[in-house]
């Protein structure tokens, strides 16, 4: 079964600085998707960035970028020029690309336990 | 365009009571999901509906039932609430299975005393 591990329960960063959140995963599949979700105090889960495993190029969305190391099964999130509004819980998630109806093992998003990011002025 | 909406936002139940959590999406998505989020754990899938007319168990289905009422609505029912079901419940939807982005509702905080 696939697992997702976030080993940093909490991180902090100064405003305008850069911070990297770690995520590792375990899978025997070769084709899958990886996601970073942000959960602010409002509780709303918001997709930050998504990476397809078959793409070698690291995904980037404005100040957010990932370092995807497929062989090492590592998927870290880098936040540049941190802002106060970036303070939130961040969850790494995995999903198989092989979606088979009736098999939740392939249909579900598998989440890590989250990293709480604090941003200081 | 409201996205995914959930009602209620907060609920307190006594052990043994029943209730239904409502979820609706206006994005014409085929797939819908119910997750629960507990402290120190990520979200865990309770049930999902790949398309209208189908529902399947997720990782933690015991104590819950679901109904895909139509393409827009997917409800979660607790028949006899237990303190172990105290959690935050999220509904989500996506275009389909696989790598499509899942859009989440704002969550329902449920406390069972």
């Amino acid at each position: 079964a696939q697992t997702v591990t976030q080993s940093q329960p909490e991180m902090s960063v100064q405003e305008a600085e850069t911070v990297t959140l770690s995520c590792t995963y375990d899978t025997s599949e070769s084709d899958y998707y990886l996601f970073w979700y942000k959960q602010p105090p409002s509780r709303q889960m918001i997709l930050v960035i998504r990476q397809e495993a078959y793409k070698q190029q690291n995904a980037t969305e404005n100040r957010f970028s990932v370092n995807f190391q497929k062989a090492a099964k590592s998927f870290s999130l880098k936040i540049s020029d941190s802002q106060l509004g970036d303070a939130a819980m961040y969850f790494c998630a995995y999903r198989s690309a092989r979606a088979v109806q009736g098999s939740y093992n392939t249909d579900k998003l598998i989440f890590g336990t989250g990293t709480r990011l604090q941003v200081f002025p | 365009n409201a996205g995914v909406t959930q009602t209620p936002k907060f609920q307190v139940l006594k052990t043994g009571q029943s209730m239904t959590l409502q979820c609706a999406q206006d994005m014409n998505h085929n797939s819908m999901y119910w997750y629960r989020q507990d402290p120190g754990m990520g979200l865990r899938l309770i049930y999902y509906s790949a398309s209208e007319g189908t529902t399947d168990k997720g990782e933690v289905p015991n104590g819950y039932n679901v109904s895909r009422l139509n393409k827009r609505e997917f409800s979660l029912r607790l028949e006899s609430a237990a303190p172990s079901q105290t959690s935050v419940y999220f509904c989500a939807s996506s275009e389909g299975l696989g790598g499509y982005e899942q859009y989440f509702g704002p969550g329902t905080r449920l406390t069972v005393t």
Side-chain angles (χ1 to χ4, degrees):
Chain A
Q2 297 87 2
T3 58
V4 176
T5 302
Q6 293 179 251
S7 58
Q8 305 157 317
E10 288 193 10
M11 291 284 285
S12 61
V13 65
Q14 209 81 25
E15 204 175 0
E17 298 291 306
T18 296
V19 65
T20 298
L21 308 184
S22 300
C23 173
T24 58
Y25 58 94
D26 189 27
T27 183
S28 59
E29 298 180 323
S30 59
D31 199 11
Y32 47 88
Y33 300 90
L34 295 165
F35 306 85
W36 278 99
Y37 277 88
K38 171 185 177 182
Q39 186 179 39
S42 67
R43 290 204 312 253
Q44 185 87 39
M45 295 284 286
I46 303 163
L47 180 66
V48 175
I49 201 163
R50 157 193 154 139
Q51 175 81 44
E52 290 93 341
Y54 66 85
K55 288 187 177 178
Q56 291 188 341
Q57 188 171 6
N58 289 325
T60 300
E61 285 288 339
N62 301 314
R63 297 182 294 106
F64 298 87
S65 61
V66 298
N67 183 5
F68 173 48
Q69 303 285 333
K70 191 172 185 179
K73 297 179 182 174
S74 170
F75 182 60
S76 61
L77 175 70
K78 186 171 85 169
I79 305 174
S80 304
D81 186 25
S82 296
Q83 300 175 0
L84 294 176
D86 294 335
M89 282 288 288
Y90 286 82
F91 291 94
C92 178
Y94 169 103
R95 191 175 191 185
S96 172
R98 183 175 58 86
V100 178
Q101 184 170 336
S103 171
Y104 75 88
N105 285 322
T106 55
D107 294 338
K108 65 179 179 180
L109 269 175
I110 301 169
F111 285 86
T113 52
T115 297
R116 182 174 302 282
L117 178 66
Q118 294 182 299
V119 181
F120 294 103
Chain B
N1 192 342
V4 180
T5 56
Q6 291 182 235
T7 55
K9 286 192 166 45
F10 300 93
Q11 184 71 49
V12 179
L13 290 178
K14 289 185 171 20
T15 298
Q17 288 185 318
S18 62
M19 79 160 296
T20 299
L21 279 63
Q22 307 285 355
C23 173
Q25 52 90 10
D26 62 2
M27 296 174 281
N28 200 35
H29 284 170
N30 291 307
S31 302
M32 297 185 74
Y33 313 82
W34 276 105
Y35 291 90
R36 62 178 287 173
Q37 183 179 30
D38 301 299
M41 305 182 76
L43 279 71
R44 293 181 294 168
L45 184 66
I46 304 171
Y47 269 94
Y48 70 100
S49 171
S51 60
E52 187 179 357
T54 70
T55 60
D56 290 292
K57 294 179 180 178
E59 188 180 359
V60 287
N62 291 343
Y64 306 96
N65 284 303
V66 291
S67 294
R68 185 75 183 266
L69 304 169
N70 48 55
K71 191 171 186 179
R72 288 188 64 248
E73 298 172 286
F74 188 40
S75 63
L76 178 72
R77 182 160 179 84
L78 286 70
E79 291 291 351
S80 178
S84 61
Q85 294 178 304
T86 294
S87 188
V88 180
Y89 291 85
F90 288 95
C91 178
S93 71
S94 67
E95 279 190 52
L97 303 179
Y100 291 104
E101 176 183 352
Q102 291 189 16
Y103 294 81
F104 285 80
T108 295
R109 183 177 293 278
L110 175 67
T111 302
V112 183
T113 61

